[in-house]
Structure formats: structure tokens, C-alpha cells
Amino acid sequence: QVQLVESGGGLVQPGGSLRLSCAASGSIARINAMGWYRQAPGKQRELVASISSGGSTNYEDSVKGRFTISRDNAKNTVYLQMSSLKPDDTAVYYCNAHVLGLRTIRWDDYWGQGTQVTVSS
């Protein structure tokens, strides 16, 4: 079994910054891509940013230049540094990892429980 545990959400004023973390643990042989998604009330879940095992990154257009995704492969952890936050960034943020199970010997996608980010004055 694989678990993803997120931390770092909260309430921040417009223009402020937050850093999200997501640590993967459990029966892991290898992790390929990791990413952050978000879901605002009444909207579909959308990809915010992703990073490959080699460090290649991809961003949703509205966060380019404001958010930075990074990862520490030794710690099986992915980060999302969010700056210049706007009210439209308010959502529940979920981390995702594409994992090769040590016991299953199969690639599966796993999700964190979600962390609330609220941008408001």
C-alpha cells in the first residue's frame, strides 16, 4: 500500500505565498511523475503542475511564473511553492504520484487526501 500525505495549506492574503509538501510512503519500488491538482467548488479537478522523475516540469497557464514544482527523490517528496497568490487560486490541492508498487509490480496512480488553500483578504 502507498500513502501520500500533504501539508502546508492554509489561509493567505492575496499576493502572499504558501509552500505545499507531499510525502509518499509505503511499498514503493519507484516513482515516475508527480503532480499537483486542484479543485475549486463547483469546478472540475485540474492539473496545476507536474514533474517527471528526471525533473522536467509542466505548468497550467494561469500559474506559470507564480508557482514552482520541485521534488526530492531521496525523500519521495514533491513540493509546490506558490507565490503572488490570487483569490482564483482558492481550492483544495491534491498531490498525485505514478508509482511502481514493490509488491504489485504494477504502475498505479495514488492521491493525497487534499489540503485547503484559501486566498482572501
Side-chain angles (χ1 to χ4, degrees):
Q1 187 73 342
V2 175
Q3 299 82 35
L4 301 182
V5 178
E6 300 143 346
S7 61
L11 173 64
V12 64
Q13 292 187 341
S17 299
L18 280 176
R19 188 191 194 211
L20 306 182
S21 300
C22 173
S25 63
S27 184
I28 299 171
R30 183 179 168 186
I31 301 178
N32 194 356
M34 302 183 82
W36 288 95
Y37 290 71
R38 67 185 178 187
Q39 187 166 19
K43 295 187 178 181
Q44 289 189 332
R45 189 174 297 189
E46 64 175 359
L47 176 65
V48 176
S50 63
I51 184 167
S52 71
S53 57
S56 297
T57 59
N58 180 56
Y59 296 93
E60 193 269 327
D61 284 347
S62 70
V63 307
K64 286 180 180 177
R66 300 188 298 122
F67 291 10
T68 302
I69 189 170
S70 61
R71 64 191 285 173
D72 184 333
N73 290 332
K75 296 181 179 179
N76 288 338
T77 299
V78 62
Y79 306 96
L80 185 68
Q81 178 67 47
M82 304 184 292
S83 302
S84 301
L85 282 161
K86 305 174 181 180
D88 283 350
D89 295 317
T90 296
V92 178
Y93 284 70
Y94 299 89
C95 73
N96 169 270
H98 195 53
V99 177
L100 178 62
L102 193 59
R103 296 173 184 163
T104 62
I105 316 299
R106 185 182 70 217
W107 289 97
D108 287 302
D109 278 319
Y110 292 89
W111 293 88
Q113 79 283 1
T115 185
Q116 178 70 46
V117 172
T118 301
V119 184
S120 175
S121 55

